[in-house]
Amino acid sequence: MSLHKGPRPSRGDDRDRRRLAVNPFHAAANPLGGMTEAPPAHRLPDSPLPPESAYRLVHDELMLDGNARLNLATFVTTWMEPQAGVLMSECRDKNMIDKDEYPRTAELERRCVAMLADLWHAPDPATAVGCSTTGSSEACMLAGMALKRRWALRNADRYPGARPNLVMGVNVQVCWEKFCNFWEVEARQVPMEGDRFHLDPRAAAELCDENTIGVVGILGSTFDGSYEPVADLCAALDALQERTGLDVPVHVDGASGAMVAPFLDEDLVWDFRLPRVASINTSGHKYGLVYPGVGWALWRDAEALPEELVFRVNYLGGDMPTFALNFSRPGAQVVAQYYTFLRLGREGYRAVQQSARDIARGLAERVEALGDFRLLTRGDQLPVFAFTTADDVTAYDVFDVSRRLREGGWLVPAYTFPPHREDLSVLRVVCRNGFSTDMAELLLADLERLLPELRRQPHPLTRDKGAATGFHH
């Protein structure tokens, strides 16, 4: 969660004294009702407001938020069927942790885990272990904790003296850096080189030693939408074990790709078919097609998840095994995930993801045809593509493009790549379910309309590139 500070004075005014303006028509019946005093913005009001007045105050302020459907920076689902919304509203008061109180919600969670275990080719789906989470960040934390505990148990004679490390590409999502920081694990990152924008298997294996708790492979890098070669990574670690005896497990961060590859890339071997893959996570609220926030973490069997990490709590009359960082959370998203699995099935998911990929590939080709841009990826893995300005374009940069598109409501992030490619700045478009061919046409039309103005600029105009886009990895 973001950290927030209290209000600070601005231009000589005490913002703590600011009050919200109440429209007389907001009152439920009497236009003067609830108007005796405008409520403060940064402290609790002294008296209640009519519900319609409170609703309108909040509603009107939220009008200044961006349109989620036009946010092409986020991977998170921004559209679901009305029936899913109804189910979620019916379950929003159910606390997911109270499994004894809400046994059918718990049963739907169990079924989702079983479906994912089967989808990801667990050796025995009946023995695979898994749980829902609030998203992939929590799922990654849980997977990292399991990797560290397994390593510590194998090295009980050396730990805590020895410092564990985790190997990953520099393109990982920030949750992995958080894990290493919070759980005191050294992060060993493989840098980008040339046109390789993700982890190199050999380089990853070379960073491993007796203190390596695991290697993270990303099935769908957020920087450019490309899959990391998980099978090649496992082969490199197999060769390492043959040479040194080191047995290093792999966790697959499939936040997005784990719900794309099983349907569109069935011949791609990346999951539990590889014996070295110990655990996988995904975001149900990304290409799992559910509103935020729900994620999933699965281990290939009980051995991959140390039993001492699982808490058995006698809560509300039931013995409840739980492995989570959070406790109370709504059951609505888990129910929505089960609804979506039931609603679509394999063929439905295949159709939805293929449509998103087709739109991404078609839009990428048309952006390239404009002549001003060079594609880094083409949307043929994740339905995502990244592009930068062509070498001969000097009048503007990607930050100018992002800023100008935002004027039309489009959120297309511009950002700089990490080491060793800080010289490369790109734009990225995420095509999700709900981003239709018609919307892609509208985006392209706005981009074409802006190009003549951008080309007439004397030079790139964005001075503060950090403020040019609100997107950060």
Side-chain angles (χ1 to χ4, degrees):
M1 298 294 292
S2 299
L3 294 176
H4 300 281
K5 297 181 180 179
R8 292 177 296 176
S10 176
R11 299 181 181 178
D13 297 328
D14 185 356
R15 291 181 61 194
D16 191 36
R17 297 178 182 174
R18 174 178 170 244
R19 293 188 176 273
L20 301 171
V22 181
N23 187 318
F25 282 106
H26 288 177
N30 180 358
L32 298 180
M35 291 283 297
T36 55
E37 183 180 0
H42 295 101
R43 63 178 177 83
L44 283 172
D46 295 328
S47 303
L49 279 176
E52 180 66 19
S53 299
Y55 167 80
R56 281 295 171 183
L57 286 171
V58 178
H59 172 84
D60 289 354
E61 185 160 355
L62 291 176
M63 288 169 61
L64 297 177
D65 274 348
N67 186 327
R69 293 281 296 280
L70 301 183
N71 182 0
L72 303 182
T74 183
F75 285 80
V76 173
T77 295
T78 56
W79 182 88
M80 290 188 75
E81 292 175 314
Q83 292 87 344
V86 171
L87 274 174
M88 293 182 75
S89 68
E90 293 173 350
C91 298
R92 61 191 173 194
D93 60 342
K94 295 182 180 180
N95 190 350
M96 192 68 227
I97 204 68
D98 298 347
K99 292 179 169 47
D100 192 61
E101 294 291 312
Y102 308 114
R104 301 322 301 170
T105 303
E107 168 62 15
L108 298 190
E109 179 187 32
R110 188 190 68 80
R111 292 179 191 175
C112 287
V113 169
M115 289 176 178
L116 289 171
D118 178 67
L119 186 68
W120 295 339
H121 299 97
D124 181 2
T127 62
V129 181
C131 61
S132 66
T133 64
T134 54
S136 272
S137 291
E138 183 187 5
C140 291
M141 298 285 175
L142 298 179
M145 289 166 60
L147 290 174
K148 183 180 178 182
R149 183 59 59 91
R150 287 179 63 196
W151 171 86
L153 292 173
R154 292 195 306 267
N155 294 272
D157 58 329
R158 301 170 53 249
Y159 182 75
R163 186 186 182 191
N165 66 73
L166 181 66
V167 175
M168 65 195 87
V170 73
N171 58 306
V172 294
Q173 213 269 351
V174 69
C175 66
W176 287 107
E177 298 176 34
K178 288 182 180 180
F179 165 77
C180 290
N181 187 0
F182 296 163
W183 274 270
E184 298 182 330
V185 173
E186 177 191 356
R188 295 187 176 179
Q189 296 185 315
V190 179
M192 294 181 177
E193 296 289 350
D195 292 332
R196 177 181 56 76
F197 303 126
H198 52 230
L199 174 146
D200 174 70
R202 290 186 179 180
E206 290 173 359
L207 290 177
C208 295
D209 58 24
E210 66 276 9
N211 294 327
T212 301
I213 65 174
V215 181
V216 177
I218 311 293
L219 198 70
S221 172
T222 59
F223 278 91
D224 64 355
S226 63
Y227 295 158
E228 289 191 332
V230 178
D232 292 345
L233 172 62
C234 290
L237 294 173
D238 289 343
L240 176 70
Q241 184 174 8
E242 291 180 6
R243 295 194 309 271
T244 66
L246 293 175
D247 185 7
V248 180
V250 168
H251 172 79
V252 178
D253 182 349
S256 294
M259 292 305 297
V260 173
F263 306 109
L264 302 186
D265 308 294
E266 295 181 74
D267 294 334
L268 180 68
V269 179
W270 61 273
D271 52 16
F272 289 128
R273 286 171 288 184
L274 298 166
R276 197 166 291 276
V277 172
S279 50
I280 301 171
N281 72 274
T282 197
S283 291
H285 60 223
K286 292 180 181 174
Y287 287 98
L289 308 180
V290 175
Y291 286 137
V294 61
W296 301 93
L298 268 70
W299 290 263
R300 68 183 303 118
D301 50 36
E303 184 182 353
L305 177 60
E307 173 64 24
E308 59 266 32
L309 291 178
V310 178
F311 282 79
R312 298 187 177 276
V313 183
N314 185 355
Y315 187 63
L316 298 179
D319 179 66
M320 179 189 62
T322 177
F323 183 37
L325 299 180
N326 296 294
F327 199 68
S328 296
R329 58 187 175 88
Q333 285 82 1
V334 169
V335 170
Q337 183 74 85
Y338 182 71
Y339 164 85
T340 308
F341 284 168
L342 198 65
R343 167 79 171 88
L344 292 178
R346 286 179 180 261
E347 290 305 315
Y349 263 97
R350 182 174 293 110
V352 170
Q353 312 300 37
Q354 186 65 61
S355 175
R357 179 179 282 182
D358 290 344
I359 291 170
R361 294 176 65 177
L363 183 57
E365 290 174 1
R366 296 188 64 181
V367 167
E368 183 180 41
L370 295 173
D372 285 46
F373 303 104
R374 175 172 62 88
L375 295 179
L376 276 68
T377 48
R378 297 178 172 273
D380 53 358
Q381 293 184 334
L382 288 188
V384 175
F385 66 96
F387 59 103
T388 187
T389 50
D391 293 339
D392 58 347
V393 173
T394 59
Y396 64 91
D397 60 17
V398 295
F399 298 95
D400 289 324
V401 177
S402 178
R403 175 174 49 82
R404 294 301 307 276
L405 284 173
R406 191 168 187 133
E407 295 171 4
W410 300 104
L411 278 68
V412 179
Y415 50 91
T416 302
F417 270 29
H420 296 155
R421 289 306 313 268
E422 297 97 332
D423 60 305
L424 182 59
S425 297
V426 305
L427 294 150
R428 189 199 66 198
V429 174
V430 177
C431 298
R432 305 178 308 277
N433 182 40
F435 180 70
S436 64
T437 301
D438 291 338
M439 293 177 71
E441 291 283 353
L442 293 172
L443 172 63
L444 188 69
D446 277 356
L447 182 57
E448 289 179 313
R449 177 180 55 81
L450 292 172
L451 282 180
E453 297 178 36
L454 291 168
R455 291 164 181 161
R456 288 195 296 267
Q457 290 182 179
H459 52 71
L461 299 181
T462 305
R463 295 287 180 260
D464 184 0
K465 295 182 178 180
T469 175
F471 176 80
H472 301 281
H473 278 282

